[in-house]
Amino acid sequence: MSDFVQVSTATETREQAVQLAESAVRGRLAAGAQVVGPVVSVFWHRGEFGMGEEWQLLLKTTAEGYPALEAHLLEHHPWEKPEVVAVPIVAGSAAYLRWLADSTKPGA
């Protein structure tokens, strides 16, 4: 398993995504985050087909730190059942990965 993950979620507004990004990074739950959007989402929700604009949030953290980041996102996300998924970072520059690890240490 990879030591690092990229976590994604989406929100209805840019402001919501920025707020989640800021709280996660300030709390050292993620080393960094990018807000991308708007993006078009196509989905099923409560048995109905839907389409709309969302703001995607990408966060980088350690695999060990993922559970705390997930809990934070679920607690502070405006949606009842938001997408919160993580994919492994299988490769990266040594300096970046060192920064990522150092930036997610409490009290760093």
Side-chain angles (χ1 to χ4, degrees):
M1 182 169 157
S2 173
D3 292 336
F4 305 99
V5 294
Q6 177 171 277
V7 179
S8 65
T9 190
T11 62
E12 187 174 0
T13 68
R14 179 185 182 276
E15 292 74 23
Q16 290 169 338
V18 169
Q19 187 174 38
L20 282 173
E22 184 176 353
S23 63
V25 173
R26 283 188 181 273
R28 301 270 181 196
L29 301 172
Q34 289 83 36
V35 174
V36 182
V39 297
V40 175
S41 289
V42 180
F43 52 86
W44 286 100
H45 182 67
R46 298 186 175 167
E48 297 200 13
F49 180 81
M51 189 182 309
E53 284 191 351
E54 297 175 344
W55 290 81
Q56 187 176 36
L57 175 57
L58 304 172
L59 305 110
K60 281 66 170 187
T61 194
T62 62
E64 181 181 349
Y66 173 77
L69 176 58
E70 178 189 272
H72 176 82
L73 293 173
L74 292 175
E75 179 181 344
H76 295 93
H77 202 289
W79 294 343
E80 182 182 330
K81 295 180 187 175
E83 169 192 5
V84 177
V85 297
V87 295
I89 297 173
V90 297
S93 71
Y96 175 79
L97 297 177
R98 202 168 28 257
W99 167 82
L100 196 163
D102 291 345
S103 296
T104 53
K105 290 179 183 168

